[in-house]
Amino acid sequence: MKNRPNRLVRGALAAAAFSLAVTACAEDSGSGTTSAGGESIEYGAEKSEYVDALADMDPVELVIQSTGPKDSATGRRFEDYAEAVDEWSGGKITFEFIYSNAAAGPTETHEAIADGRIDIGSVMPSLIPDEFPVSNNLWNLSHLGRQTPVDSMLQWHGIIFELATLTDEIDTEYEDHGMKLLLPGFGSGAYMPYCGEESTSLEDLKNNGVASQSRHQNAQAEALGMKPSSIAYTEMFESLERGVVDCAITTVTGAALGGYIESVPYPVFDPEVGFNSPGGSIAMSIDKWNDLPLPAQQLMIDRLDVLMQANFEGAWDNAAAATQQVLDAGGEFLSFDEDAKAALVETNEELEAEVANSDALGDGEAFLEAAKEAEARWAETVAGLDIKGLDTSYEEFPEWHANGVPDLQPYFDVLWEDVVADRRPS
């Protein structure tokens, strides 16, 4: 494996007495995980090697909860992942699906995993910060990175993956809740206010009611003079139609699936300054994880690339639809005026200060420094990949998408070699 740039960060953080996950071992990156034994498989092995290694494994069926309906763009990541794991295990690991968060809502999924109602699901720490104080620091920084439709997705996931991998306490926090953290974070694009009228300055935005999805977004909306309200995704369409709120902070995916773009066809953003994401992670019952033999655990991690590919493709499918809906409704993607941008920057700096001063982290200042370095490094890394159209604008995005999603394997190779390899049991 090559000499990874984040080793420099690890050295600095270790000197600052910050706890790091330098390598994954047989007990994995946390303190409460193990395996049922078996011979290790090298990352990048052929499918036949996994099938052979698991030939004597007792079959297991895992109950997985998808956030979306069956065959939907948002649910496809779970379905493609399950199909890949099933196939690469030679049918020894199969899945029973529960769709559309039917077993447990976003604030209860961690409990459903711990008590055995489901085995795998999406956990959103930012919605339950008191339960996940360490992980919430990660989502306090989820505004980092570019905010445009192509490069932002690649850079943002690199930042989130790297920060989670640097921090043993995040894995331990999940383990304390009876879970094994599989995927540290996934998102569907940049969050921004979608409004019914052109609103780019503080004066324009002042007193506009806005639907938001986390306390972080509430703070950011208030900094713009807006009046945030916590409105469930399922009630967003009606709330906008009835004028309960004037705007909604959402992604292109949320806007497309919500069906309300015609009411709010004026999204406003800055390419360099973002809103926080309520985010999502994917976790598994720690008991079910510990019961798996080592090569099965390795397979569960290795085929997360399939989940990520589906996540990107689904998000970009929705982004193309949403962008076209904005244009068809006579709207446009607007840029914040300087006063609004400055207010958002100031609030984001306050959220970053919370991280630096967090009692939940061994060294919050070191964590924030690592985040800033990861932001710069992943911007450079993504720019250096042979992926066409990284700087595509929202207006150009439908045409970019119509040409087909580019080969993302160069991105996954870097992400796995530089980051995910350290999360892989061996």
Side-chain angles (χ1 to χ4, degrees):
M1 185 171 292
K2 70 181 183 182
N3 184 22
R4 299 192 291 269
N6 57 15
R7 284 179 177 166
L8 299 176
V9 178
R10 290 184 180 140
L13 293 178
F18 187 64
S19 117
L20 303 178
V22 178
T23 56
C25 60
E27 288 76 31
D28 207 354
S29 61
S31 60
T33 55
T34 183
S35 76
E39 293 295 324
S40 178
I41 297 178
E42 184 177 351
Y43 173 71
E46 298 293 329
K47 179 171 64 176
S48 60
E49 295 181 58
Y50 291 91
V51 172
D52 291 344
L54 297 174
D56 296 329
M57 172 185 168
D58 291 334
V60 60
E61 182 179 69
L62 301 174
V63 178
I64 184 170
Q65 176 171 272
S66 170
T67 56
K70 185 178 182 180
D71 298 327
S72 66
T74 51
R76 193 170 79 200
R77 53 185 168 236
F78 297 96
E79 294 165 28
D80 286 5
Y81 174 66
E83 181 179 354
V85 171
D86 184 339
E87 180 180 345
W88 281 63
S89 70
K92 291 301 181 75
I93 305 174
T94 57
F95 297 84
E96 175 189 345
F97 266 87
I98 297 175
Y99 295 98
S100 302
N101 289 335
T107 61
E108 300 173 348
T109 302
H110 64 298
E111 296 173 346
I113 294 173
D115 66 25
R117 279 176 283 164
I118 61 176
D119 299 316
I120 300 174
S122 174
V123 178
M124 302 180 70
S126 66
L127 301 185
I128 39 178
D130 292 341
E131 294 276 343
F132 292 88
V134 179
S135 302
N136 199 53
N137 283 288
L138 179 65
W139 298 103
N140 255 358
L141 301 177
S142 59
H143 55 268
L144 294 177
R146 293 271 298 167
Q147 306 299 309
T148 39
V150 181
D151 54 358
S152 68
M153 286 284 285
L154 305 179
Q155 182 192 12
W156 185 87
H157 284 86
I159 296 168
I160 296 297
F161 272 50
E162 182 169 320
L163 286 177
T165 302
L166 289 173
T167 317
D168 278 339
E169 292 96 330
I170 290 178
D171 285 286
T172 300
E173 189 169 66
Y174 276 75
E175 291 163 14
D176 289 344
H177 285 80
M179 298 182 294
K180 161 65 182 174
L181 179 59
L182 295 178
L183 189 75
F186 65 91
S188 57
Y191 278 81
M192 62 188 73
Y194 282 65
C195 294
E197 299 180 357
E198 296 184 26
S199 304
T200 59
S201 68
L202 289 180
E203 183 62 30
D204 297 337
L205 294 162
K206 185 178 180 180
N207 292 326
N208 274 349
V210 59
S212 66
Q213 299 183 43
S214 71
R215 74 170 185 87
H216 308 129
Q217 289 183 0
N218 287 348
Q220 291 164 323
E222 289 170 352
L224 297 174
M226 307 178 83
K227 295 181 177 179
S229 299
S230 296
I231 296 177
Y233 173 76
T234 54
E235 300 173 1
M236 197 82 76
F237 178 88
E238 184 178 357
S239 296
L240 289 165
E241 286 286 301
R242 293 171 50 208
V244 176
V245 290
D246 308 295
C247 309
I249 298 176
T250 187
T251 64
V252 284
T253 291
L257 297 179
Y260 48 72
I261 288 178
E262 187 173 353
S263 299
V264 284
Y266 295 101
V268 56
F269 77 111
D270 184 272
E272 304 291 342
V273 184
F275 282 76
N276 274 30
S277 167
S281 64
I282 296 179
M284 177 176 176
S285 161
I286 197 167
D287 290 337
K288 291 296 180 70
W289 172 265
N290 288 342
D291 285 342
L292 293 175
L294 177 60
Q297 292 179 344
Q298 292 172 327
L299 176 60
M300 297 287 289
I301 297 296
D302 294 346
R303 289 291 68 80
L304 288 171
D305 60 347
V306 174
L307 188 152
M308 293 289 292
Q309 177 79 29
N311 182 66
F312 288 142
E313 291 179 358
W316 284 332
D317 287 350
N318 288 323
T323 302
Q324 193 59 55
Q325 289 171 31
V326 166
L327 300 177
D328 291 346
E332 60 178 312
F333 284 82
L334 304 168
S335 297
F336 281 119
D337 289 357
E338 284 301 317
D339 62 347
K341 176 181 176 179
L344 187 56
V345 167
E346 182 178 355
T347 299
N348 288 350
E349 289 175 347
E350 292 172 358
L351 291 171
E352 292 168 8
E354 286 186 26
V355 173
N357 297 317
S358 173
D359 294 332
L361 292 169
D363 189 332
E365 290 185 0
F367 186 82
L368 177 59
E369 180 182 353
K372 294 292 188 177
E373 292 180 1
E375 180 182 33
R377 180 166 44 257
W378 279 99
E380 181 180 354
T381 297
V382 170
L385 298 176
D386 186 21
I387 296 177
K388 294 182 179 180
L390 287 170
D391 60 350
T392 299
S393 69
Y394 285 100
E395 289 81 4
E396 299 166 336
F397 188 79
E399 181 179 355
W400 177 89
H401 184 263
N403 291 325
V405 174
D407 179 14
L408 297 179
Q409 194 57 51
Y411 172 76
F412 289 126
D413 287 344
V414 174
L415 184 64
W416 252 248
E417 185 174 352
D418 285 0
V419 180
V420 180
D422 284 346
R423 304 193 60 79
R424 189 179 190 264
S426 61

